[in-house]
């Protein structure tokens, strides 16, 4: 698709198919890319963890690099480096992915290594015990960061009693209670058929489909049922409220405001939130930045972020200021947000927001790693579409519709507000 507002922007052509076991494959052809990205996605994020095994999804990500059926510990990294490539992995709330960047000529060898890594991890006891200490240290470092503590507290208040509220790294207690058999069981249940997607973006050989169809991906067992898929349409509950906390070593006072956002499948609404948050707090000309930082100079910094997940997203506005200015900042914030219900959004404001959103999408499809990530998640969650398709909703969002539909949801009374001071 070529976007009518910027005809020079084109997305790479894609093709996809499913294997007999239900695993999905998607290819994005980028002949000019210097590196090809192989990206394995699985519905095995922290949301699938049972009570008492919090952190096992992320721990398994670590253990996958500690050896597999055909790879000794450390051999995977050595092989990928020998191919002139690099690798990494990440665990989220909904899914986990492992990816490799290699020169196109080394794709087939890299694919063999990647699939061996994720499909047949050995999860042996000795490296398990060693890696547990690594993860515990990672957790300790996170728990020592005031910003991380605040963020996790906010999620705990907003998404109370839902798996999204739990730290992805788990807790010291849950990590210490895990054993190799529980991890093997988690892997066996999650890394199956339709839970898995292989995405490849870059310069790919013409026989790529044959290569994949003859790979280890076909050895993954199919899946007969999945309770998560029957309940994922139920939106995560959001708790409104307000609380003040004191955090040790917090450098500035903070106001964190969270609002519920739409589920990942509700792309039109997400576009509306994206535009509204751009009008509010992106750039010096945005409403909050201009008033609070440029005119009144009562805040040190301001940031707004939208995190989108399958069962529901969250918008978080963070303002840093001096403690003595907290009351004034909150008062001004309330005034600006309330004014958005009645003030006219100018044509210039709306056009600026739309261009910022467009730019974000354009910049997000420049690299093969970015494209593989996008097509991988879209295919995994059955949203196969052109990478710029969400931009088709821009024309729906007029100033009047933003004022009528979106800004009423971005009021303080619809939020959970966390005010933090330093102990």
């Amino acid at each position: 698709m070529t976007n009518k507002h910027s005809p020079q922007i084109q997305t790479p052509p894609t093709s996809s198919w499913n294997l007999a076991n239900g695993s999905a494959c998607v290819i994005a052809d980028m002949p000019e890319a210097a590196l090809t990205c192989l990206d394995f996605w699985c519905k095995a994020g922290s949301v699938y963890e049972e009570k008492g095994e919090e952190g096992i999804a992320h721990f398994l990500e670590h253990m996958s690099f500690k050896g597999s059926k055909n790879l000794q510990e450390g051999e995977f990294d050595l092989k990928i480096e020998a191919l002139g490539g690099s690798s990494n992995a990440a665990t989220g709330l909904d899914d986990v992915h492992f990816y490799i960047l290699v020169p196109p000529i080394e794709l087939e060898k890299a694919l063999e290594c990647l699939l061996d890594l994720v499909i047949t991890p050995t999860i042996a006891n000795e490296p398990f015990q060693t890696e547990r200490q690594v993860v515990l240290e990672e957790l300790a470092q996170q728990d020592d960061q005031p910003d991380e503590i605040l963020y996790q507290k906010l999620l705990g208040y907003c998404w109370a009693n839902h798996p999204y509220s739990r730290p992805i790294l788990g807790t010291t207690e849950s990590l210490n209670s895990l054993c190799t058999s529980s991890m093997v069981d988690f892997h066996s249940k999650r890394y199956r058929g339709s839970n898995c997607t292989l995405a490849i973006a870059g310069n790919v050989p013409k026989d790529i489909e044959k290569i994949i169809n003859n790979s280890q991906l076909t050895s993954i067992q199919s899946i007969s049922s999945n309770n998560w898929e029957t309940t994922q349409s139920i939106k995560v509950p959001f708790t409104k409220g307000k609380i003040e906390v004191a955090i040790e070593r917090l450098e500035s006072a903070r106001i964190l405001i969270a609002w519920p956002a739409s589920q990942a499948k509700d792309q039109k609404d997400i576009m509306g939130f994206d535009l509204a948050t751009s009008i509010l707090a992106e750039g010096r000309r945005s409403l909050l930045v201009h008033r609070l930082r440029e005119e009144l100079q009562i805040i040190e910094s301001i940031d707004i972020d939208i995190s989108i997940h399958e069962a529901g997203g969250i918008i978080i506005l963070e303002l840093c200021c001096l403690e003595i200015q907290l009351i004034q900042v909150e008062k001004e914030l309330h005034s600006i947000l309330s004014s958005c219900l009645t003030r006219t959004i100018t044509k210039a404001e709306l056009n600026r927001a739309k261009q910022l959103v467009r730019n974000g999408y354009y910049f997000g499809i420049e690299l093969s790693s970015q494209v593989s990530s996008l097509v991988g998640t879209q295919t995994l969650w059955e949203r196969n579409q052109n990478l710029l398709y969400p931009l088709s909703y821009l024309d729906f969002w007029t100033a009047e519709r933003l004022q009528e539909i979106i800004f009423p949801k971005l009021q303080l009374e619809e939020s959970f507000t966390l005010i933090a001071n330093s102990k």
Side-chain angles (χ1 to χ4, degrees), residues 95-329:
D95 41 45
V96 59
H97 75 123
F98 301 78
Y99 58 97
I100 299 175
L101 275 167
V102 289
I105 195 173
E106 306 293 358
L107 180 149
E108 196 165 353
K109 294 177 183 177
L111 178 62
E112 181 181 356
C113 290
L114 175 62
L115 294 178
D116 198 73
L117 181 86
V118 297
I119 296 174
T120 61
T122 50
I123 313 181
N125 185 62
E126 187 174 341
F128 182 89
Q129 302 303 333
T130 301
E131 201 63 23
R132 190 205 313 262
Q133 298 308 311
V134 174
V135 178
L136 284 168
E137 178 60 28
E138 187 178 348
L139 176 63
Q141 291 176 0
Q142 177 179 281
D143 289 345
D144 193 47
Q145 300 296 319
D147 288 337
E148 291 291 340
I149 295 171
L150 269 179
Y151 178 73
Q152 201 57 55
K153 280 184 177 293
L154 184 63
L155 295 187
Y157 292 126
C158 295
W159 285 332
N161 301 319
H162 188 276
Y164 279 3
S165 70
R166 305 184 309 222
I168 290 175
L169 297 186
T171 66
T172 301
E173 293 74 21
S174 64
L175 290 171
N176 280 323
S177 70
L178 296 176
C179 61
T180 56
S181 61
S182 60
M183 184 172 287
V184 169
D185 184 57
F186 183 85
H187 181 275
S188 176
K189 287 190 298 185
R190 298 310 316 163
Y191 286 67
R192 284 176 173 260
S194 58
N195 285 345
C196 303
T197 290
L198 174 66
I200 301 179
N203 188 349
V204 295
K206 293 182 179 179
D207 62 342
I208 184 63
E209 186 169 344
K210 179 180 177 182
I211 292 172
I212 293 175
N213 289 344
N214 291 327
S215 72
Q216 288 189 66
L217 193 61
T218 61
S219 68
I220 296 178
Q221 293 185 359
S222 59
I223 187 168
S224 57
S225 64
N226 192 325
N227 291 334
W228 169 253
E229 268 63 39
T230 64
T231 60
Q232 71 180 63
S233 60
I234 301 175
K235 193 170 185 193
V236 57
F238 184 91
T239 302
K240 304 175 188 178
K242 181 179 179 180
I243 195 169
E244 295 190 26
V245 298
I247 304 292
E248 291 183 357
R249 296 180 289 106
L250 191 66
E251 294 183 357
S252 301
R254 308 289 174 87
I255 300 178
L256 277 78
I257 301 168
W259 292 280
S262 303
Q263 295 171 275
K265 65 180 182 180
D266 299 325
Q267 297 182 36
K268 182 169 70 175
D269 286 351
I270 292 171
M271 183 60 66
F273 282 119
D274 212 350
L275 289 170
T277 54
S278 295
I279 291 171
L280 282 174
E282 187 163 352
R284 295 174 63 180
R285 294 165 60 188
S286 62
L287 298 178
L288 293 175
V289 176
H290 178 72
R291 177 60 175 165
L292 301 179
R293 195 178 70 186
E294 303 294 319
E295 285 190 348
L296 298 178
Q297 299 183 5
I298 57 175
I299 61 171
E300 298 171 4
S301 64
I302 180 171
D303 184 64
I304 196 164
D305 182 67
I306 306 177
S307 296
I308 302 301
H309 308 290
E310 295 305 313
I314 192 170
I315 299 168
I316 298 179
L317 173 67
E318 180 179 12
L319 304 103
C320 300
C321 65
L322 298 176
E323 187 174 339
I324 59 173
Q325 292 174 323
L326 277 170
I327 295 176
Q328 184 184 2
V329 170

Side-chain angles (χ1 to χ4, degrees), residues 339-359:
S339 72
C340 291
L341 299 176
T342 55
R343 69 180 290 275
T344 300
I345 299 172
T346 67
K347 183 177 180 180
E349 285 177 313
L350 184 59
N351 288 341
R352 172 183 170 275
K354 289 186 176 183
Q355 191 57 55
L356 287 173
V357 171
R358 284 193 199 96
N359 291 345

Side-chain angles (χ1 to χ4, degrees), residues 346-396:
T346 67
K347 183 177 180 180
E349 285 177 313
L350 184 59
N351 288 341
R352 172 183 170 275
K354 289 186 176 183
Q355 191 57 55
L356 287 173
V357 171
R358 284 193 199 96
N359 291 345
Y361 277 83
Y362 296 158
F363 295 152
I365 59 171
E366 293 182 326
L367 304 176
S368 60
S369 56
Q370 296 171 315
V371 171
S372 70
S373 179
L374 284 172
V375 298
T377 51
Q378 287 180 355
T379 303
L380 181 70
W381 297 103
E382 300 177 0
R383 287 190 294 273
N384 297 76
Q385 60 189 27
N386 185 282
L387 296 180
L388 295 181
Y389 178 77
L391 294 180
S392 65
Y393 293 116
L394 281 177
D395 290 338
F396 172 84

